[in-house]
Amino acid sequence: MSRVVLRIGTVVLCFFMLTACGSESPGREAGEQPADTERWQEAREIVGIPIPTAAPASEGNGDETEEVPPMETPRPQVETITISAAGDCSLGNHQEQEYEYSFRQAYDQIEDEGYFFENVRAIFADDDMTIVNFEGVLTYSEERDESRTYNIKGDPEYARLLTAGDVEAVSFANNHRMDYGTRGSDDTVAALEAEGIIYAYDRNVGIYDTDKGIRIGFVSVNEVAWGLGSEQLLAEGIEKLRGEGADLILACCHWGIEKDNYPTENQQYLGRKCIDMGADLVIGHHPHVLQGIEEYNGKYIIYSLANFCFGANRNPVDKDTMIFRQTFTFVDGVKQEDRQIQIIPCSVSSVRDRNNFQPTPAQGDEAARIIEKINGYSAGYGVVFTQDGTLSQ
């Protein structure tokens, strides 16, 4: 019985195939399904051949052009780096000072090690790096250089005061680094390293790595001792910093004449040479008073930042000082040329009648007076600051 059915089915299928072939139009492509689709499917059902489901349509063929979304232009990566610079910091006393009203007494009596930089800490915390000149040493040594009039020192633990004040770096080439000989210098370096404070002096350059990936390098020289021989040290230091990948280079120069508000010819010559050699900012100190600021080839020379947190004088006659700030802009790691500078007028003390070793921003008429003073010292260089301390355009 099954063979009969199979034969009938075969005959029926052949009949429909022949019918389909006979009705095939001459223009139909090979492999194209016959027009009478219902009869074709009916024949397949009779003989038990499964009817395939339709294949999914392809997403495209050679006749179509696939749309490619336009490529987005990468946005440039912009970083700003702000540096704060302040003047001479001597965290201690000299050997002729009495204990009363001294830095040591102030340290012994405070309950918070943040006391000394308390009034400027917010400014220093709001930058990428703060640098000061470290005048004197941190050591327990009693073997001082007796050829010097003043030998300045504090205890090694005083290095913590810098950390508490958000100071990240110090220049250490000055005329008091060797007040207590090699041991005094080495003890100071060890104390700074223990606190993570970056330092530089003579042929020892410093590099501070910011959280933004920008490397700030600095060189520190003592022109007071080396004279124009400092030029070679500066050249070597700047070249070394460039070789170590510094993105910004600062030149810190201990130079000039004490209590003189105007730079010497040596200061002007070396300051400009620093920029010619590749420094982005020149920071000067030693005179213990303010001097002017010069713009040279689009960069700045601060001739003297004066005293700042200065324990070596219990009551200086001239308490005027300042914080210099500059913001540098980098686009895709390349430093741009700009002139974003500001001065913040300060006093070395928060009280008028003595030095309490607590530098404090000036306010009102006092701030205006100090800015006017700096403008007077800078007039010969064409640099003028507005009453809010920003650069006049």
Side-chain angles (χ1 to χ4, degrees):
M1 185 68 177
S2 58
R3 291 180 181 177
V4 174
V5 173
L6 181 58
R7 288 176 181 175
I8 294 173
T10 302
V11 171
V12 173
L13 179 60
C14 290
F15 170 76
F16 280 106
M17 288 178 68
L18 289 172
T19 305
C21 290
S23 62
E24 183 177 20
S25 64
R28 190 171 65 242
E29 296 292 334
E32 201 169 346
Q33 188 171 332
D36 197 348
T37 305
E38 292 183 1
R39 292 172 61 194
W40 177 258
Q41 291 179 346
E42 182 180 355
R44 293 174 66 94
E45 288 176 354
I46 292 174
V47 297
I49 301 174
I51 301 174
T53 58
S58 63
E59 295 182 358
N61 55 45
D63 296 330
E64 296 178 351
T65 301
E66 183 178 356
E67 290 188 8
V68 179
M71 292 182 63
E72 292 186 5
T73 303
R75 293 185 178 181
Q77 183 177 359
V78 179
E79 295 287 2
T80 57
I81 296 293
T82 299
I83 293 173
S84 300
D88 298 335
C89 291
S90 58
L91 306 185
N93 306 337
H94 65 72
Q95 80 281 4
E96 300 295 331
Q97 284 178 306
E98 297 177 358
Y99 180 75
E100 190 175 10
Y101 298 115
S102 68
F103 187 96
R104 185 173 294 276
Q105 182 189 52
Y107 179 83
D108 291 344
Q109 292 179 350
I110 62 172
E111 296 180 359
D112 178 9
E113 290 185 336
Y115 162 85
F116 295 97
F117 293 97
E118 180 178 356
N119 295 336
V120 293
R121 187 188 306 153
I123 297 170
F124 292 167
D126 189 42
D127 60 27
D128 294 283
M129 189 187 86
T130 300
I131 185 168
V132 302
N133 176 56
F134 197 81
E135 187 113 5
V137 295
L138 301 176
T139 183
Y140 293 119
S141 174
E142 297 294 337
E143 297 180 10
R144 65 184 181 86
D145 180 356
E146 296 186 3
S147 68
R148 300 191 53 76
T149 304
Y150 300 113
N151 303 85
I152 305 172
K153 74 165 184 170
D155 294 346
E157 66 192 59
Y158 292 0
R160 296 200 300 262
L161 306 179
L162 297 170
T163 306
D166 277 292
V167 176
E168 289 87 11
V170 301
S171 59
F172 190 38
N174 56 63
N175 57 313
H176 289 282
R177 183 175 69 84
M178 299 300 291
D179 278 2
Y180 285 82
T182 301
R183 179 185 168 186
S185 177
D186 290 347
D187 287 350
T188 307
V189 167
L192 294 172
E193 289 179 345
E195 284 300 305
I197 305 295
I198 309 300
Y199 59 87
Y201 65 92
D202 298 345
R203 288 185 170 83
N204 301 283
V205 299
I207 294 184
Y208 179 75
D209 291 303
T210 69
D211 294 337
K212 300 173 182 177
I214 301 297
R215 309 193 81 199
I216 304 172
F218 60 103
V219 58
S220 174
V221 301
N222 179 15
E223 185 271 344
V224 176
W226 290 79
L228 290 180
S230 302
E231 182 178 344
Q232 183 61 32
L233 284 176
L234 287 163
E236 292 174 3
I238 291 171
E239 184 63 26
K240 185 176 181 180
L241 289 168
R242 189 181 291 112
E244 294 185 12
D247 301 296
L248 267 177
I249 296 179
L250 317 180
C252 302
C253 300
H254 206 71
W255 56 13
I257 300 172
E258 292 187 6
K259 309 295 178 63
D260 195 333
N261 294 113
Y262 294 91
T264 64
E265 290 184 3
N266 276 11
Q267 285 176 264
Q268 295 176 74
Y269 171 80
L270 283 176
R272 294 166 185 171
K273 285 296 291 186
C274 286
I275 292 173
D276 290 340
M277 291 184 289
D280 298 296
L281 174 66
V282 181
I283 302 171
H285 28 71
H286 174 65
H288 300 298
V289 293
L290 291 168
Q291 292 185 348
I293 296 172
E294 178 180 4
E295 181 179 359
Y296 173 75
N297 288 345
K299 299 176 182 179
Y300 294 93
I301 304 167
I302 314 161
Y303 281 112
S304 177
L305 283 165
N307 295 331
F308 199 64
C309 185
F310 197 70
N313 192 331
R314 293 184 298 173
N315 192 22
V317 174
D318 188 345
K319 295 181 177 65
D320 293 344
T321 186
M322 69 175 172
I323 299 169
F324 177 92
R325 284 166 68 91
Q326 182 164 3
T327 297
F328 299 87
T329 302
F330 289 81
V331 178
D332 291 334
V334 178
K335 186 176 71 67
Q336 307 300 297
E337 298 301 325
D338 51 30
R339 304 169 74 238
Q340 298 185 62
I341 66 172
Q342 178 188 16
I343 56 173
I344 301 174
C346 299
S347 171
V348 300
S349 175
S350 66
V351 297
R352 291 177 177 272
D353 61 334
R354 62 183 176 87
N355 187 2
N356 68 354
F357 320 110
Q358 199 174 44
T360 302
Q363 303 294 330
D365 291 343
E366 273 296 282
R369 180 186 64 78
I370 296 171
I371 290 175
E372 192 61 32
K373 175 191 278 192
I374 297 168
N375 281 339
Y377 299 149
S378 306
Y381 306 118
V383 174
V384 179
F385 295 94
T386 63
Q387 289 305 297
D388 64 358
T390 57
L391 185 66
S392 174
Q393 301 301 318

